[in-house]
Amino acid sequence: MGNLYQEIKSVAGLSFSLAKANFKVRNEGSFFGIFWYLLEPLAFFLILFFIGQNLSQKSIEQYPMYLLVGLIMFNFFNAVTLFSTKVISNNSGFIKSLKINSEAFVLSGVWQFVFSHFFEVVVLIIFGLIFKINISFFIFYLFIFPFFVLFTSGVSFVLSVLGVYVGDLRNVWNVFSRLLWFATPIFYAVGTNTVIKELNTINPLYYFIMITREVIIYKKIPSPALLFTVALFSVLVFIAGFLVFEKFKNRLAERL
Amino acid sequence: MIIRIEVKNIYKKFNADFRNDKTALSGIVGVLSGGNVKKEISVLDDVSFSVAAGEIMGVIGRNGSGKSTLLRLIAGVYQPDSGEIKTNGKLVYLTGVSQGSMPKLTMRENIYLMGAVMGLTSREIDERFDEIVEFSGLREFVDMKVYQFSTGMIARLNFSTVIHCVKHQNPDILLLDEILSSGGDLRFQEKASQKMEELIKGGAAVIIVSHNEDDLLKHSDKVLWLDNSKIVAMGGPKEVFDKYILSIKK
């Protein structure tokens, strides 16, 4: 048991150090670099703010907040998973030359974008103040986000293994995640009885984004059954992804 | 006498046709055209030996004879296809000291990063930090970004960091793949090889892969000669080396 604890501690420590280093490199050691990470969601925000509501079938209450929550949550998922498709081969130098817990490389991607996401949330809060929303319910995001992180990490574990076997996975995933972006109600609302609605019943991102919006913007607490299902699902995806990674991790070095 | 490394009849093969650039597209095309023929080459075949605590074993052989694969198997980076490898104690595997630093980070940040990669906590690196900087002789450049360093300076930074991290871990088993020379100027090399010797002679079971005859003759208690995935000879350094040299000259 003590051994396992040491192992977890060392993976956590290493992934955190790697994330910090990557973050510094990416942002050239200054916080201005974070601007580039925020640019995409903000640019999309501006475009969709002006045209998005016309595309939607029904008018959406608090549209700017609705839109921004969808954008930043999707952006987090997209950034982490896309990073994970290449993370093992990008660190092949380490993985081939050290007996190292390679989970740390995958988790470093998660940490890195959790840092970045923090800044997006700051922007969200600023927008909340501008659009005169009572931001007290934002505190509940602290309970939703960890499950979203678990879910995203689980998916990333699988992608990172797959990325070793499939060299162009990044391209494939990039296209898939674009399609997912349009399929997820980010800038529009799900109407009744549409294909989109059917599709989204099996889209995990939809549930995370929907719950977050309900709680922090509209101050409604979703049904306990739904919350429980989403939480359980996140944990299961994480465990499944982790087990896949554990099964393959000893064979990855040979493929690099 | 404590046996630290025990290798029994290991066999390791690689897929010779496996391409690194295998993609989703080429995979689909391959399945459709039925063109995925597997060809395997054995890298290590029926290799057995043991190394005791305090014993130093050199490994020689031509390029591609399986030396690095052997170390990776012992380190657990690769898994053997059959046979058994037992290690007993804290293991450190070192290769390619020149890699690993990130040019856009400062020397200080690089030391912490490399330390973390080598398994030290940041508190442990704190304790060693001054020693590392002092040994590298780069005190006045600590907060400079590494891309501005000369090749020699980078070699000094890497060597100092790695060697002190290893020393901190106090390994029972030490696997060294072509890293006996440190790079840097003559004075640093001298200092470095002294440090290396301290480490090697520190009581751990050591395996050294090297092409440098002098180093191997100086350090090893026994030498293993690999060729074509098999052990050709194992025994006293001088004797095995003479056979090896003779076979090359033939």
Side-chain angles (χ1 to χ4, degrees):
Chain A
M1 217 45 208
N3 235 341
L4 184 71
Y5 172 72
Q6 282 300 325
E7 198 94 319
I8 291 173
K9 213 176 110 184
S10 102
V11 169
L14 175 57
S15 61
F16 202 73
S17 300
L18 287 165
K20 214 165 83 180
N22 282 333
F23 193 80
K24 275 182 186 156
V25 168
R26 208 167 48 127
N27 299 316
E28 292 286 345
S30 83
F31 283 110
F32 289 115
I34 201 71
F35 171 77
W36 298 114
Y37 180 78
L38 291 176
L39 187 65
E40 188 177 317
L42 285 177
F44 272 89
F45 176 80
L46 277 179
I47 298 166
L48 293 167
F49 180 62
F50 289 112
I51 65 163
Q53 206 148 15
N54 301 328
L55 296 173
S56 193
Q57 293 165 329
K58 59 175 189 183
S59 77
I60 299 165
E61 223 182 302
Q62 300 290 0
Y63 185 65
M65 297 306 284
Y66 178 95
L67 176 60
L68 197 58
V69 166
L71 281 171
I72 65 172
M73 288 184 78
F74 193 91
N75 199 34
F76 172 76
F77 176 80
N78 186 39
V80 175
T81 52
L82 207 56
F83 178 88
S84 72
T85 57
K86 279 273 173 212
V87 71
I88 299 293
S89 46
N90 285 347
N91 288 293
S92 61
F94 287 135
I95 291 168
K96 274 178 99 94
S97 60
L98 288 165
K99 178 68 184 159
I100 196 167
N101 287 314
S102 36
E103 296 88 353
F105 294 106
V106 183
L107 293 177
S108 79
V110 178
W111 281 122
Q112 193 183 324
F113 293 107
V114 168
F115 294 158
S116 315
H117 190 67
F118 171 78
F119 292 92
E120 291 178 316
V121 173
V122 170
V123 171
L124 187 70
I125 292 172
I126 294 170
F127 273 56
L129 293 172
I130 293 173
F131 291 102
K132 297 198 169 57
I133 296 224
N134 174 3
I135 57 164
S136 57
F137 271 60
F138 277 38
I139 194 86
F140 288 109
Y141 191 54
L142 288 178
F143 301 101
I144 303 169
F145 186 60
F147 287 102
F148 191 43
V149 170
L150 278 183
F151 165 73
T152 309
S153 310
V155 175
S156 298
F157 273 127
V158 177
L159 286 174
S160 65
V161 169
L162 208 57
V164 175
Y165 291 86
V166 184
D168 53 359
L169 182 69
R170 194 186 160 86
N171 300 335
V172 176
W173 188 253
N174 212 351
V175 173
F176 175 77
S177 104
R178 275 288 146 210
L179 294 177
L180 191 63
W181 192 87
F182 280 103
T184 309
I186 290 171
F187 61 91
Y188 57 85
V190 177
T192 43
N193 283 330
T194 57
V195 181
I196 293 283
K197 190 177 177 193
E198 291 298 313
L199 211 61
N200 273 302
T201 54
I202 55 161
N203 177 2
L205 287 176
Y206 166 70
Y207 292 99
F208 286 109
I209 294 175
M210 189 255 291
I211 290 173
T212 307
R213 282 170 174 159
E214 289 287 306
V215 174
I216 73 172
I217 307 175
Y218 305 120
K219 304 181 181 54
K220 288 185 222 154
I221 301 297
S223 77
L226 177 67
L227 290 179
F228 178 75
T229 312
V230 170
L232 184 69
F233 175 75
S234 316
V235 173
L236 288 179
V237 168
F238 178 80
I239 293 173
F242 181 72
L243 290 179
V244 168
F245 192 86
E246 291 303 297
K247 185 165 163 48
F248 283 94
K249 76 169 185 183
N250 284 335
R251 288 185 244 161
L252 296 181
E254 284 175 35
R255 300 270 167 168
L256 293 172
Chain B
M1 194 170 68
I2 312 163
I3 298 291
R4 291 283 184 202
I5 307 169
E6 198 170 11
V7 173
K8 266 192 208 154
N9 310 100
I10 51 164
Y11 177 74
K12 177 73 192 165
K13 63 176 194 297
F14 284 136
N15 288 337
D17 73 319
F18 190 85
R19 296 192 306 271
N20 247 340
D21 59 345
K22 184 144 185 145
T23 63
L25 278 180
S26 72
I28 293 167
V29 173
V31 168
L32 291 179
S33 63
N36 279 341
V37 189
K38 283 219 164 147
K39 195 180 151 224
E40 285 166 350
I41 42 169
S42 54
V43 199
L44 288 172
D45 191 358
D46 200 20
V47 171
S48 307
F49 60 86
S50 63
V51 185
E55 197 177 18
I56 301 164
M57 184 176 91
V59 181
I60 52 171
R62 290 179 308 179
N63 291 335
S65 57
K67 305 185 295 294
S68 296
T69 306
L70 179 63
L71 289 201
R72 285 193 175 133
L73 283 166
I74 298 170
V77 174
Y78 291 168
Q79 310 300 315
D81 289 304
S82 69
E84 203 183 353
I85 297 171
K86 275 192 218 151
T87 57
N88 164 19
K90 173 128 190 90
L91 184 149
V92 170
Y93 165 51
L94 287 183
T95 177
V97 175
S98 56
Q99 52 177 277
S101 58
M102 282 175 119
K104 292 237 170 152
L105 296 181
T106 65
M107 173 171 162
R108 182 189 302 275
E109 289 163 342
N110 263 301
I111 292 175
Y112 277 89
L113 180 64
M114 268 191 270
V117 167
M118 295 201 59
L120 273 71
T121 64
S122 59
R123 196 174 305 154
E124 287 169 330
I125 306 166
D126 284 341
E127 287 165 23
R128 291 275 169 177
F129 188 81
D130 283 326
E131 221 179 317
I132 293 170
V133 175
E134 211 46 62
F135 189 82
S136 70
L138 300 167
R139 164 87 49 206
E140 61 264 52
F141 307 107
V142 162
D143 289 305
M144 198 161 111
K145 290 195 175 171
V146 167
Y147 72 87
Q148 291 166 307
F149 279 27
S150 72
T151 319
M153 286 160 81
I154 292 176
R156 281 156 68 158
L157 162 64
N158 288 335
F159 185 87
S160 312
T161 312
V162 168
I163 208 86
H164 285 92
C165 289
V166 174
K167 225 177 108 188
H168 186 91
Q169 289 170 314
N170 196 15
D172 302 307
I173 300 168
L174 194 55
L175 309 174
L176 306 173
D177 193 349
E178 294 286 357
I179 66 143
L180 287 175
S181 56
S182 60
D185 54 29
L186 275 180
R187 221 185 59 185
F188 184 77
Q189 276 185 28
E190 207 171 294
K191 206 163 78 162
S193 71
Q194 208 181 341
K195 200 84 182 169
M196 203 67 188
E197 201 166 325
E198 264 173 48
L199 193 68
I200 292 172
K201 300 264 159 87
V206 184
I207 301 184
I208 304 170
V209 166
S210 175
H211 288 288
N212 187 323
E213 186 181 346
D214 293 340
D215 276 337
L216 283 183
L217 288 180
K218 191 167 109 194
H219 295 303
S220 358
D221 300 315
K222 64 180 177 189
V223 166
L224 177 92
W225 170 19
L226 281 177
D227 192 40
N228 253 334
S229 73
K230 288 195 166 71
I231 296 181
V232 182
M234 183 161 51
K238 188 86 185 86
E239 158 201 349
V240 176
F241 238 103
D242 287 344
K243 282 188 207 161
Y244 175 57
I245 303 282
L246 210 69
S247 84
I248 291 174
K249 284 182 180 156
K250 253 183 215 167

